[in-house]
Amino acid sequence: MTLATHDVRWGAGGRMIVDGVTLDVAPNRVLGLIGPNGSGKSSLLRLLCRLRRVASGVVSLDSRDIADLPRHELAKRLAFVEQQATTEVQLTVCDVVRLGRTPHRAAFASWSAEDERAVDAALARVGLSERHDQLWHTLSGGERQRVHIARALAQEPRELILDEPTNHLDIRHQLSILALVRRLRLTCVIALHDLNLASLFCDEIAVLHEGRLVAAGMPASVLTPERIARVFGIAVEIRCDEAGHRHIAYVMDHEPGT
């Protein structure tokens, strides 16, 4: 395993938010992190990136405690895509993606052909090469999210962490972003709200509830009606189509508005 946590804990305001999580992320696979609001998903992702320091336990990268890794070395290996990022500065698409090259450049170093190659390659991977010089503010929500992923790819990481990258996007852009993430063939950890999208696009799923890991494994074994009812407090039925794709259907015990 390249990225792992062992008995990780972190809290704030006198409350334990991530409580003893042990988790292994398989190389070049997509791990979906799901759970109700307040279950600790975003906090765990930030611990994986060392944006927060664990209170106890270990986050490891290639069996090395990330607390011992120099910041620039960690940034060359691991990239983080936030839910939303915005700016009032008049930036172009390439300006944003170039920020991903920061870990690879010495202080006051001039922009190199290698840097430009990495930016161009990142934009090509997300299908936005033609938007290279377009202003950031003129992009759609889905295009902005692709640019954020391109910025992360310009770091040339082996591990990619994404915090609800489909939040506030319409269904077409949600499907497009998740299909893109799956095509990257990186080690990915992605927090998601939609259980059907998690089941469709993730190789494995980890379920958090009240800061604790309650299940991890293949979607079919993790996303059962009993576990969904226990963690999310909703009744569901699992249906399969002719292609074998599972669909989680929510069961209402009364008509809306009654």
Side-chain angles (χ1 to χ4, degrees):
M1 300 296 175
T2 60
L3 185 61
T5 68
H6 178 71
D7 200 22
V8 163
R9 288 178 168 83
W10 180 84
R15 184 170 71 91
M16 191 62 64
I17 295 174
V18 177
D19 190 1
V21 173
T22 296
L23 186 64
D24 291 324
V25 186
N28 302 321
R29 305 269 283 177
V30 178
L31 172 69
L33 195 61
I34 66 170
N37 288 340
S39 60
K41 300 187 299 296
S42 293
S43 295
L44 180 58
L45 294 185
R46 281 159 176 76
L47 293 171
L48 290 175
C49 301
R50 211 174 79 183
L51 294 177
R52 291 173 178 161
R53 289 188 175 271
V54 300
S56 63
V58 175
V59 178
S60 61
L61 190 62
D62 288 342
S63 301
R64 296 177 62 189
D65 188 337
I66 66 168
D68 298 331
L69 294 175
R71 178 68 67 179
H72 73 278
E73 183 178 336
L74 181 62
K76 289 179 181 178
R77 276 289 307 271
L78 189 149
F80 178 58
V81 178
E82 298 181 79
Q83 287 188 35
Q84 284 186 313
T86 186
T87 178
E88 299 301 321
V89 181
Q90 289 289 97
L91 297 175
T92 64
V93 167
C94 66
D95 289 333
V96 175
V97 180
R98 282 173 177 169
L99 295 173
R101 295 303 297 163
T102 302
H104 296 271
R105 305 178 67 239
F108 309 112
S110 59
W111 190 255
S112 69
E114 179 65 17
D115 292 324
E116 196 63 33
R117 181 206 62 77
V119 168
D120 289 343
L123 282 171
R125 291 181 78 180
V126 302
L128 289 178
S129 296
E130 74 283 359
R131 305 299 180 93
H132 185 279
D133 298 315
Q134 186 167 332
L135 287 174
W136 161 261
H137 293 291
T138 65
L139 299 176
S140 70
E143 289 168 336
R144 290 186 185 188
Q145 196 62 281
R146 284 177 175 268
V147 172
H148 283 311
I149 294 173
R151 188 263 309 156
L153 294 178
Q155 291 178 228
E156 300 181 308
R158 285 167 51 187
E159 290 80 24
L160 182 63
I161 312 297
L162 306 101
D163 191 4
E164 297 184 22
T166 59
N167 203 19
H168 305 304
L169 299 181
D170 61 40
I171 186 61
R172 180 172 68 88
H173 284 109
Q174 290 180 38
L175 293 170
S176 176
I177 290 295
L178 293 176
L180 166 63
V181 170
R182 190 165 179 83
R183 289 196 303 269
L184 294 175
R185 305 310 303 167
L186 298 173
T187 301
C188 294
V189 183
I190 179 170
L192 292 169
H193 269 302
D194 190 299
L195 302 185
N196 281 301
L197 291 179
S199 180
L200 182 61
F201 287 100
C202 298
D203 298 303
E204 297 179 350
I205 289 177
V207 183
L208 287 182
H209 184 47
E210 297 180 346
R212 297 178 179 176
L213 180 69
V214 298
M218 302 292 287
S221 63
V222 169
L223 294 177
T224 63
E226 296 77 16
R227 182 169 289 118
I228 292 171
R230 186 167 64 252
V231 172
F232 292 92
I234 53 174
V236 301
E237 295 177 352
I238 307 293
R239 304 167 183 168
C240 291
D241 61 22
E242 294 180 355
H245 298 136
R246 301 170 78 247
H247 177 72
I248 299 168
Y250 303 106
V251 179
M252 299 187 66
D253 57 5
H254 59 80
E255 291 298 320
T258 64

